[in-house]
């Protein structure tokens, strides 16, 4: 099992974050749990988490299978979910729902203010529409909500488009694309059966250092979902004073 270090050589706090579209748990759930547990993240930003009947129990069961706890999400964020290890303290949490376009799925976003020691930050996650006419508007609403956050941001999302698209550019504006920072922008995240697109992204506030980036392509990951999980090791800024 890979364990992230608790502190960087510079004294900054390290954080391991996984962003993962779990395909509504339609695939191999044992493999899914094994993938996450083996990576030992501090945070998992989940897309396509439980959002319907008995969603609270199902989200709790998903968290337990990963060895984690629920911070926020599920039905209120329409399938977006933030899970954390006990290493984190979770403060304020909130959700956002995008307007419903008739004939389309309703979508939203999740936010959780967290801290490790003196380091404070906000985790945000979203899953944008597959409809190219609907997606830019959702990205604009998500970006507006992100702009209201003053703490360093960590954003995990399934944008349903490759980098360069309008929605992608909106979310990425002013942020660090972890894949680009690691010079790994050519690593595809979808689909596991035929990798051809990088539609799953992890962006961070420029104040946060990207120490490592990976798209986890293993036999277990290919059984666990139709998306590969995106893994980053980050170094959080130490608050002034």
């Amino acid at each position: 099992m890979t364990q992230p270090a608790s502190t960087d050589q510079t004294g900054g706090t390290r954080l391991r974050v996984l962003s993962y579209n779990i395909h509504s748990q339609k695939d191999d759930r044992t493999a899914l749990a094994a993938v996450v547990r083996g990576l030992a993240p501090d945070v998992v930003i989940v897309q396509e988490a439980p959002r319907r009947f008995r969603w609270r129990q199902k989200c709790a069961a998903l968290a337990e299978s990963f060895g984690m706890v629920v911070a926020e999400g599920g039905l209120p964020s329409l399938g977006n979910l933030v899970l954390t290890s006990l290493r984190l303290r979770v403060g304020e949490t909130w959700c956002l729902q995008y307007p419903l376009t008739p004939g389309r799925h309703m979508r939203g976003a999740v936010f959780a203010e967290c801290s490790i020691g003196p380091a404070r930050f906000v985790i945000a996650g979203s899953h944008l529409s597959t409809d190219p006419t609907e997606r830019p508007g959702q990205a604009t609403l998500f970006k507006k909500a992100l702009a209201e956050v003053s703490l360093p941001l960590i954003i995990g999302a399934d944008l349903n488009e490759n980098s360069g698209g309008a929605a992608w550019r909106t979310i990425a504006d002013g942020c660090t694309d972890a894949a680009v920072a690691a010079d790994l922008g050519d690593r595809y995240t979808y689909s596991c059966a035929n990798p051809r697109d990088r539609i799953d992204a992890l962006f961070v506030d420029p104040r946060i250092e990207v120490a490592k980036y990976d798209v986890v392509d293993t036999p277990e990951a290919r059984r666990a979902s139709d998306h590969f999980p995106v893994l980053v090791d980050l170094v959080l800024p130490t608050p002034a004073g």
Side-chain angles (χ1 to χ4, degrees):
M1 179 181 293
T2 305
Q3 292 285 356
S6 59
T7 57
D8 185 69
Q9 291 180 350
T10 63
T13 302
R14 293 186 71 110
L15 183 77
R16 175 163 289 182
V17 180
L18 190 70
S19 185
Y20 204 170
N21 182 321
I22 63 170
H23 198 206
S24 300
Q25 296 177 271
K26 294 177 181 177
D27 303 299
D28 188 329
R29 297 189 183 190
T30 300
L32 176 65
V35 167
V36 176
R37 282 182 175 269
L39 296 171
D42 298 301
V43 177
V44 183
I45 307 169
V46 182
Q47 300 91 43
E48 294 196 26
R51 55 176 284 184
R52 294 187 174 88
F53 180 66
R54 296 180 62 244
W55 65 272
R56 288 184 180 85
Q57 295 94 321
K58 291 177 180 178
C59 287
L62 177 67
E64 183 178 15
S65 75
F66 294 166
M68 308 183 81
V69 295
V70 174
E72 180 61 286
L75 176 62
S77 60
L78 301 164
N80 298 285
L81 183 66
V82 173
L83 306 177
T84 66
S85 73
L86 296 179
R87 183 173 174 237
L88 275 68
R89 293 193 301 273
V90 178
E92 182 182 4
T93 62
W94 64 101
C95 296
L96 171 68
Q97 295 186 353
Y98 306 135
L100 175 63
T101 300
R104 306 295 304 175
H105 292 296
M106 195 170 184
R107 297 179 184 264
V110 62
F111 301 81
E113 179 185 331
C114 301
S115 61
I116 302 177
R120 296 173 61 215
F121 51 96
V122 169
I123 302 289
S126 190
H127 184 187
L128 301 186
S129 176
T130 57
D131 183 350
T133 62
E134 184 181 30
R135 195 162 53 237
Q138 293 176 348
T140 297
L141 292 172
F142 187 35
K143 189 65 173 183
K144 181 179 178 181
L146 295 169
E148 295 172 355
V149 175
S150 60
L151 292 172
L153 273 162
I154 300 166
I155 307 157
D158 176 352
L159 299 177
N160 265 315
E161 67 179 28
N162 286 295
S163 61
W168 186 295
R169 294 196 307 272
T170 295
I171 303 303
D173 184 37
C175 297
T176 300
D177 182 334
V180 173
D183 197 25
L184 292 171
D186 59 349
R187 294 286 303 278
Y188 298 141
T189 66
Y190 179 85
S191 68
C192 291
N194 180 25
R196 62 187 183 276
D197 295 302
R198 183 166 79 95
I199 65 175
D200 303 277
L202 211 149
F203 304 106
V204 297
D205 188 292
R207 291 171 285 183
I208 298 174
E209 177 190 343
V210 178
K212 180 180 178 181
Y213 172 91
D214 193 18
V215 175
V216 182
D217 181 354
T218 64
E220 279 184 329
R222 287 176 177 259
R223 297 197 305 271
S225 176
D226 60 343
H227 290 245
F228 293 120
V230 174
L231 179 72
V232 295
D233 284 348
L234 305 173
V235 182
L236 303 172
T238 300

